[in-house]
Amino acid sequence: MPATTILSDITITDMTSFVFGPYCTQTLADMGANVIKVETEKGDIMRIAGKPANTRKMGPHHMTFSRGKRSVVFDLKEDWGKEAIRRLIKNSDIFIHNALPAGMKRKGLGFEDVRSIKKDIVYVECVGFGTDGPYAGRPAFDDIIQGYSGMASLLPRLDGNERPRFLPMLLADKVSGLHAVHATLAALRQRDKTGEAQHVEVPMLECSTSFLLQDHFDEAVFDPPTGSFGFTRSFDTTLQPMKTKDGWMMIAPYTDDRWIKTFQVLGAPHELEDEQLNDRKKRYYNKEYMHERVQIYLEKETTDHWLKAFDAAKIPVGRINDLEALRRDPHLVATKFFQRREHPTEGAFWEMQPPVRFHNSEEKEINPAPLLGQHTAEVLDELGLDPPPQKD
């Protein structure tokens, strides 16, 4: 699943940092866009997250979030830097940032400022909170948004431990980044239809809350509500990984006929004679007990044994992989999802291939993540500008 050239005619001035914005522009770069990452002399803070292999500011997160991009260092306090950013905007289709809007206006890079430079620019601002609410203008990070959006309340609903906990990934950042991708592409479409500039606001709280409540609004969606918030199936403690002789797996026999077949696969059809399991209604209301009976048999054989057996019976089944096992997963190996590549300065590294494939578009290899300012002179030359003056 290599990158595509589908957006090869699109140039992006990328002034994002951390995860929210960079995940958006990484995805657009995977689609072939010419993404020019504008950095300060210190560089995006994600450059120093994690331990690098060889070079300072070439950390592991940067290797993923900045792949396919070019890096320039423009000093926006100096005249040459101001002219460089103006020229770059003039030659861009998209301008995107995830700084506070007030700060961008102070730099002369608010929407109206940028539109005065490029009349049909697609201006995308990735913010923490919608600009018409009381939280507008506040800084936001993933954990802040997980708290506000209700994400941190999910695990207590599942396990009864009342302490709120963050989901152990940058979920709010990444979900919001994907919202920014489709919003940017929609705005490009509108720009092409109208010839006019587009101003797009992508707020983390609203994106994350929308994502969460697609299922967890549940019966509270009605007024008056017919029940409570929280999709019951997601909080069903019986729908959890099950232990085998040598690991963990998940089976999903969600219909009654598949539950009957499950006990046949287990070699235990006699379990269905149990008074608690001997008809459809009892099996439905005694799911916890039924899972306990299934668990007894699963622990007698290996995960591989059960994967083959349930798959042959056409009952949905899957292995529970840990992070370290993902590169060995036979499906991901077969699809070449992980590619071992050589970086010009950092040596060998693992690259995930884009998860979406455009079958009718030309494919291309992804350029590796850039060194800080690696392409400054190159981009300035393309813009018809001299290299930046040497500092004393």
Side-chain angles (χ1 to χ4, degrees):
M1 294 171 279
T4 180
T5 58
I6 202 167
L7 293 181
S8 61
D9 61 333
I10 300 298
T11 296
I12 301 175
T13 297
D14 177 11
M15 294 191 68
T16 67
S17 59
F18 293 97
V19 174
F20 177 5
Y23 188 33
C24 168
T25 52
Q26 175 218 315
T27 305
L28 296 171
D30 286 349
M31 296 180 188
N34 174 28
V35 179
I36 300 171
K37 184 175 178 64
V38 181
E39 303 186 73
T40 67
E41 288 185 340
K42 292 182 178 180
D44 185 342
I45 195 169
M46 291 306 286
R47 284 180 171 274
I48 60 173
K51 183 179 180 180
N54 290 321
T55 308
R56 189 171 178 270
K57 298 187 178 180
M58 288 296 290
H61 299 276
H62 171 71
M63 294 288 287
T64 295
F65 287 120
S66 292
R67 72 187 195 187
K69 305 176 186 180
R70 293 192 286 172
S71 170
V72 298
V73 172
F74 291 169
D75 187 345
L76 301 185
K77 295 179 181 179
E78 299 290 337
D79 289 343
W80 74 266
K82 294 175 182 177
E83 179 60 22
I85 196 68
R86 287 180 60 85
R87 292 273 188 103
L88 182 56
I89 291 169
K90 186 74 174 175
N91 286 274
S92 294
D93 300 278
I94 299 166
F95 178 91
I96 181 170
H97 74 84
N98 61 342
L100 295 177
M104 296 304 287
K105 289 178 181 178
R106 286 194 297 271
K107 293 178 180 178
L109 293 172
F111 170 64
E112 295 297 342
D113 303 305
V114 173
R115 181 168 63 170
S116 71
I117 300 169
K118 181 71 180 291
K119 67 180 182 62
D120 63 347
I121 196 73
V122 171
Y123 185 99
V124 182
E125 50 187 356
C126 302
V127 297
F129 308 94
T131 53
D132 52 358
Y135 304 157
R138 293 184 184 181
F141 295 93
D142 185 89
D143 43 8
I144 299 294
I145 299 302
Q146 284 206 35
Y148 271 118
S149 67
M151 289 182 179
S153 74
L154 295 180
L155 293 178
R157 287 174 176 262
L158 179 65
D159 62 16
N161 177 353
E162 66 178 11
R163 181 179 180 179
R165 279 154 285 158
F166 300 123
L167 301 177
M169 69 173 85
L170 298 177
L171 185 58
D173 269 322
K174 292 186 289 185
V175 163
S176 302
L178 292 177
H179 276 282
V181 171
H182 69 67
T184 300
L185 295 176
L188 272 178
R189 171 70 172 146
Q190 183 69 359
R191 190 263 333 240
D192 291 344
K193 287 167 61 178
T194 66
E196 298 176 353
Q198 304 296 314
H199 185 185
V200 181
E201 177 182 294
V202 187
M204 283 181 76
L205 176 56
E206 286 85 337
C207 289
S208 300
T209 303
S210 173
F211 182 81
L212 179 76
L213 292 184
Q214 291 298 313
D215 50 350
H216 285 310
F217 218 146
D218 206 46
E219 294 159 349
V221 76
F222 295 107
D223 188 15
T226 59
S228 61
F229 282 92
F231 184 30
T232 304
R233 179 178 175 277
S234 296
F235 298 115
D236 186 341
T237 56
T238 65
L239 299 179
Q240 298 297 323
M242 304 187 79
K243 187 170 178 55
T244 66
K245 189 175 183 178
D246 64 348
W248 296 84
M249 62 181 287
M250 184 63 192
I251 57 173
Y254 297 143
T255 60
D256 190 64
D257 61 323
R258 282 180 170 164
W259 275 113
I260 292 172
K261 193 180 290 186
T262 292
F263 283 103
Q264 293 170 350
V265 172
L266 294 171
H270 60 277
E271 290 283 353
L272 297 170
E273 299 170 9
D274 188 311
E275 281 193 3
Q276 297 186 65
L277 304 175
N278 60 8
D279 65 36
R280 178 190 295 265
K281 188 175 182 180
K282 290 178 180 178
R283 288 190 288 273
Y284 180 81
Y285 285 105
N286 293 306
K287 284 188 294 184
E288 186 171 352
Y289 175 69
M290 186 161 58
H291 276 80
E292 289 174 359
R293 300 308 302 168
V294 169
Q295 180 63 79
I296 291 170
Y297 295 94
L298 289 179
E299 293 186 34
K300 295 179 180 181
E301 296 289 351
T302 66
T303 301
D304 282 341
H305 171 88
W306 292 124
L307 289 176
K308 293 174 184 176
F310 281 106
D311 192 50
K314 300 190 183 308
I315 295 173
V317 62
R319 184 192 309 275
I320 304 299
N321 282 329
D322 58 23
L323 297 178
E324 290 76 12
L326 288 172
R327 288 210 312 263
R328 302 190 300 272
D329 183 275
H331 179 85
L332 296 177
V333 170
T335 61
K336 300 179 181 178
F337 180 75
F338 295 103
Q339 294 287 304
R340 189 178 187 274
R341 298 189 58 192
E342 288 289 327
H343 190 281
T345 62
E346 307 312 300
F349 71 102
W350 288 98
E351 178 183 85
M352 293 181 291
Q353 299 305 286
V356 176
R357 189 165 192 174
F358 298 88
H359 286 283
N360 297 327
S361 298
E362 182 182 350
E363 296 179 342
K364 75 178 188 72
E365 190 174 85
I366 302 171
N367 291 326
L371 297 169
L372 178 60
Q374 179 178 338
H375 303 97
T376 302
E378 176 181 290
V379 171
L380 288 174
D381 184 63
E382 292 172 3
L383 298 175
L385 296 171
D386 294 329
Q390 296 293 319
K391 291 191 174 183
D392 297 332

